[in-house]
């Protein structure tokens, strides 16, 4: 999911792998958090994530709303 987030933001944001965190609140779906090292960049940024699997393969999609 981090790779999908990186690709959704590139080239507008130069994210690093450490800027992303995968979180889960109780019984809700997993979500991707983008916390850039530069303060103030993610204020107007919203990430929409989808994760699916088929057997041993996992597929994730991230759409960045700016």
């Amino acid at each position: 999911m981090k790779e999908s987030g990186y690709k959704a933001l590139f080239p507008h944001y130069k994210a690093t792998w450490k800027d992303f965190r995968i979180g889960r609140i109780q019984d809700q779906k997993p979500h991707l958090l983008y916390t850039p090292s530069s303060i103030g960049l993610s204020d107007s940024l919203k990430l929409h994530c989808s994760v699916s699997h088929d057997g041993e393969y996992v597929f994730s999609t991230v759409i960045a709303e700016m």
Side-chain angles (χ1 to χ4, degrees), residues 15-47:
T16 65
W17 300 116
K18 292 182 179 182
D19 292 340
F20 293 103
R21 289 186 337 198
I22 298 172
R24 188 172 184 172
I25 301 171
Q26 294 176 359
D27 294 332
Q28 295 181 2
K29 298 185 292 184
H31 58 275
L32 185 64
L33 298 172
Y34 176 58
T35 53
S37 52
S38 300
I39 299 172
L41 285 180
S42 67
D43 293 342
S44 62
L45 185 65
K46 190 172 185 180
L47 299 177

Side-chain angles (χ1 to χ4, degrees), residues 46-61:
K46 190 172 185 180
L47 299 177
H48 303 277
C49 307
S50 174
V51 180
S52 184
H53 67 87
D54 183 18
E56 60 187 53
Y57 298 100
V58 176
F59 177 78
S60 68
T61 303

